[in-house]
Every structure is written in C-alpha cells, then in structure tokens.
Amino acid sequence: MLKALVTDVDGTITDRRRRINTAAVDAVRTLVDAGIEVVLASGNTVCFMDGLSKMVGTDGTIIGENGGVYRRGFPGTLHIPGDQTACLEAFEVLKDYFAGNGVELELYSAQYRFADVAFARNIDVDEARRVIHDRQLPVKVLDTGFAVHLQTPGVNKGTAMRELAREMGLSPTEMMAIGDSENDIEMLEVAGIGVAVRNAPALTRTAADWVTEGTYGDGFLEAVKKYYPDLFSR
C-alpha cells in the first residue's frame, strides 16, 4: 500500500469556487486514521495551510507557496528554498509594465509569504511570461487557476515532496500525489502514483499516471478509493 498521499488543495479537494468538498475531508481523515500520512500541498501561505491542516485533521506536514516552503509536522522546522527577493523585484517590473496598460496588479497576502509572490489573475499570463523572459528575470510565472505566482526556478511541489519524503523516511515511489493544475506537474511526476482530477489542464493530465472521471473533490475521492480500496470498501 502507498504509505503517504500528497494532495493539492484548490481545485482538487475543493470545487471551482474554493468550497471544500466534505466527502474529500472525510476521506483524508480515513487515511490519517489508518496511518497513511497526508500532506497538503498548495500555493497558499503557511498560516492558511496551518488552519486548514488543523480543521481537516492532518499532522501539519505541508508544502506551501508551490514548494517555496515546506515543513514536517506542526512542530517541524519551516524550510524556505524559494528566493522571495527575486520574485518581489520581478513583481515590480510586471507592476510597472501592466500599469502602462492601465491594469493594476493586486497582491495576495504578501505579508504572510516567505518565498513567492502571488497576485490576482486579471492579466494575460502569457504576456507576463513574455515580459519576464524578455527582461531575463530569474523567476518563473505559474498560473494555478486561482492566482498568478512568481517562483524561483527549480523550486516546485515536486522538489519539496522529495525533501519531505527524505524526512519521513520514505521513497517518493511510496507516495501518491493528486492535483489539478500546472503547479502540480512536478509532484505528479515525482510520486509513485500521480493522479490528475478531470478538471486539470491537458499538460497536467499528460503528466499523470491516471486521470479521474470525476472533477474537483469528487475526482479526489475517486482516486483514493481506487488506490486505497481496502480502506474504502466497507
């Protein structure tokens, strides 16, 4: 049996409006109670992830800011492999560029972030990528479907997952990952089993070992029932 599950949050255990799927929460608790470690992995902040972990019922092992931060359990050390300084400098470039087009960028929870920068999806993301590329700025642009993020190249949920696996005494091949967005691709590729829920874009579905029939939280539930059948056959 797979010994751990790493799951994205928005779009994977929620619906498109970010309302959490209560059946998915019940499934997470079933896994936890059976001794399966569940890691919540998201572009969200650490404080958001802490509250969610408490409410859902995990041990506080998290991947936040798209791999820019990660931690083993609530008492664990928070690791910050991301470089927020470069991301903030790139954000200022994008801010000035889009202001010239009459668009104001809206930062998300900047005071609570340690590694990346997140802002509202009120711009053309491909245009932002072109600006970053043309200015040769050392960041990458991620579109999660819920926000735009600037992150350090080489830092992602997959790299954080590898480090957490080491701290947990596991191989990534003993872990399952479920996601719905482009920021989930690396962790789906690293995991022993990578699952994309049906609402994921084509590139994410291609990176997965299996794609659910259901979307959002219903797809998550379908995946855990498939790969942990002994826990959900009762």
Side-chain angles (χ1 to χ4, degrees):
M1 180 183 289
L2 293 161
K3 296 180 180 179
L5 167 66
V6 183
T7 180
D8 173 56
V9 177
D10 292 322
T12 301
I13 61 171
T14 75
D15 64 15
R16 71 181 66 213
R17 289 184 284 177
R18 298 186 75 195
R19 298 183 304 182
I20 200 160
N21 184 302
T22 54
V25 172
D26 286 340
V28 167
R29 291 172 179 169
T30 295
L31 292 168
V32 170
D33 291 346
I36 306 300
E37 300 215 45
V38 177
V39 181
L40 301 181
S42 175
N44 282 297
T45 62
V46 172
C47 58
F48 176 95
M49 300 297 284
D50 282 350
L52 183 62
S53 296
K54 287 281 188 184
M55 293 295 183
V56 169
T58 69
D59 71 352
T61 300
I62 58 166
I63 296 171
E65 300 185 40
N66 300 304
V69 297
Y70 65 90
R71 186 191 63 216
R72 174 81 169 99
F74 284 113
T77 299
L78 183 68
H79 301 281
I80 309 173
D83 178 6
Q84 192 181 50
T85 299
C87 296
L88 287 169
E89 290 173 354
F91 175 77
E92 289 301 319
V93 171
L94 290 176
K95 181 180 176 182
D96 290 344
Y97 173 85
F98 283 104
N101 297 334
V103 179
E104 182 178 352
L105 301 190
E106 178 189 353
L107 270 176
Y108 283 163
S109 55
Q111 68 271 38
Y112 301 115
R113 292 187 172 273
F114 299 100
D116 78 353
V117 170
F119 53 96
R121 296 177 73 250
N122 62 338
I123 60 168
D124 183 326
V125 178
D126 287 335
E127 187 174 1
R129 289 186 172 121
R130 286 193 296 272
V131 172
I132 294 297
H133 178 268
D134 291 346
R135 307 290 176 87
Q136 298 182 328
L137 300 175
V139 302
K140 61 182 178 181
V141 180
L142 292 173
D143 181 4
T144 67
F146 295 89
V148 181
H149 294 255
L150 302 178
Q151 182 58 277
T152 306
V155 172
N156 52 65
K157 291 183 183 181
T159 56
M161 182 178 168
R162 285 187 188 278
E163 292 302 316
L164 280 176
R166 181 183 56 79
E167 289 194 26
M168 296 161 74
L170 299 175
S171 163
T173 60
E174 298 176 288
M175 305 172 83
M176 175 181 175
I178 309 177
D180 80 302
S181 187
E182 68 177 41
N183 65 330
D184 297 316
I185 289 174
E186 290 88 355
M187 78 173 187
L188 298 186
E189 293 174 336
V190 167
I193 297 292
V195 175
V197 289
R198 178 61 60 178
N199 49 288
L203 280 177
T204 306
R205 296 197 304 271
T206 299
D209 297 298
W210 186 67
V211 180
T212 65
E213 290 297 323
T215 59
Y216 299 97
D218 292 337
F220 171 88
L221 192 60
E222 182 185 341
V224 294
K225 287 183 175 180
K226 174 180 173 66
Y227 287 101
Y228 295 94
D230 292 346
L231 299 180
F232 296 95
S233 60
R234 303 178 182 89

